[in-house]
Every structure is written in C-alpha cells, then in structure tokens.
Amino acid sequence: MNGWVTLALIALTVVLVLWRAGVSPHLWGVVVPIMVLGAVGYAMQGHATLPGRPAQANAATVVIDPSIVDLRGALLGRFSGDGAYLVASDALMRRGSRDSGAQVVLMGLGHYPRSLTLWVGLGTALAQHDNTVSPAARLAFDHATRIAPDHPAPPFFEGLAYVEAGDFRTAQRYWAKALALSPPEISYRREIAVRLYALNVVLAQRGY
C-alpha cells in the first residue's frame, strides 16, 4: 500500500475514534497539530510514495525497562483504565510495532482526553517512535505539563526521552525539575534522585 495512503488511513482511524468518543474541541486542537507534525516528519523521510511493507521488528524493537514501568506506576498510578493503554503500548513497542504503540495511546486519549497518564505516555511513545524528542513529542509533554504543572511526571519522562536520545544536558534540567516537584516524603522521590545523581556523574565525567 502506498505510504501516503497508509498515513491517511491512520489519520482517519484516529479521527473516527475521537469523533465516536465525543472528544471535546479542546483535545482536537492538540491532537491535530501532533498528527500534522507526524505527517511532515513522515514526508521529510522521503519514503511516502513507496509501497507499504511489514515492519522489521528487529530494527524497531524498543527496550522497555521494568524499573521505569514501576516508577511510572508510582508516579501515575497502576491498574487504571487509562494506564491500560500504556501497558498495551509497551507490549507493542517491545514487539517492534512502533506505529501501533503510538496509535494505541492516541486511542486511549479518545476515551480519557484529560488523562495526565496518557499525555505523558503519548510524549514517550512519540519519542520512542521517532528515536528523538520530536516536535510532536514535545507538544504532548507540554500538554501534560499544562494539565498538571506541579506534577513531577511530565518533566521526568521528558527528561527520560532526552536521555534515551543521548542529550544528557537537556535531560538534566528536566530531571532536576522533577526532583524539585517531588514531595520530600513521597516514595518515588529517591528513585528520581538516584537517576539524577547518576546523570550528573556522567556529565561530570564528560566535563560538563
């Protein structure tokens, strides 16, 4: 199938899900720019006119760190309706289905448009999909921050996306913010502090 046709079908699927779920216009104003940014990136790769073909799982597999999944549960809660979409996304990413891994989070947002969990998850999924903190991923993280400006999850996971992209200096700023937003008595504060300390050690070794 032609690449542009595949992209159009994906977009149509997302639109139908959002429409049938009765999503508010507020969410449309965020999802549509994300879809446009994704389409632009797709076109810039220069493969939009090539026939579609099955994904090569070995080339696209994402390593999902169990300790990060546990920390995500501590930060955002476990066994919730919106969290189930992230579990599904993780499973798809592990299999190398990056497109589907991002799409399932968008589907979840059709049901939970104000979910901090899913907006953070969308930023993560888009960064994993693109192998970088793309404009679309930043837009999703920014929206998560607007939903809960005093919650440490958005800066922590945006920082993690920068770590995975190799931009440790930018990651440091986000993790420092996440630690500052973590209450002293909360269980996950130590986990964030340990990761920030390790990151600072790496940066010091590199002369930063």
Side-chain angles (χ1 to χ4, degrees):
M1 184 181 296
N2 181 278
W4 284 115
V5 175
T6 302
L7 181 62
L9 289 174
I10 291 170
L12 180 60
T13 299
V14 173
V15 167
L16 287 174
V17 168
L18 295 176
W19 175 71
R20 292 186 65 183
V23 174
S24 69
H26 174 71
L27 179 61
W28 282 90
V30 178
V31 171
V32 170
I34 288 175
M35 292 175 63
V36 170
L37 286 169
V40 170
Y42 185 71
M44 288 179 66
Q45 291 177 6
H47 303 302
T49 58
L50 294 179
R53 60 183 184 275
Q56 299 298 316
N58 290 339
T61 299
V62 176
V63 176
I64 306 295
D65 184 347
S67 69
I68 291 296
V69 174
D70 289 341
L71 182 54
R72 184 179 70 198
L75 280 160
L76 296 168
R78 297 180 175 88
F79 312 117
S80 58
D82 51 357
Y85 287 92
L86 297 192
V87 174
S89 178
D90 288 346
L92 290 164
M93 291 291 188
R94 287 190 187 98
R95 288 167 42 195
S97 301
R98 297 192 184 204
D99 288 346
S100 298
Q103 290 162 27
V104 76
V105 182
L106 275 171
M107 291 176 64
L109 281 166
H111 296 283
Y112 302 95
R114 292 285 298 170
S115 168
L116 173 63
T117 296
L118 288 175
W119 281 109
V120 169
L122 181 61
T124 299
L126 291 171
Q128 290 171 336
H129 178 277
D130 299 333
N131 282 320
T132 187
V133 187
S134 61
R138 290 199 301 271
L139 189 62
F141 284 126
D142 287 348
H143 192 69
T145 300
R146 286 195 294 273
I147 290 174
D150 297 325
H151 199 289
F156 175 79
F157 284 99
E158 187 161 5
L160 179 63
Y162 278 107
V163 167
E164 292 175 345
D167 187 349
F168 294 166
R169 295 182 71 181
T170 301
Q172 182 190 42
R173 297 199 303 270
Y174 284 100
W175 278 5
K177 180 180 178 181
L179 183 62
L181 290 173
S182 301
E185 71 283 356
I186 204 74
S187 61
Y188 54 71
R189 180 182 173 87
R190 182 178 182 278
E191 294 295 325
I192 295 174
V194 167
R195 285 172 169 79
L196 178 59
Y197 176 80
L199 183 59
N200 285 335
V201 169
V202 171
L203 287 171
Q205 291 173 342
R206 297 186 178 188
Y208 294 119

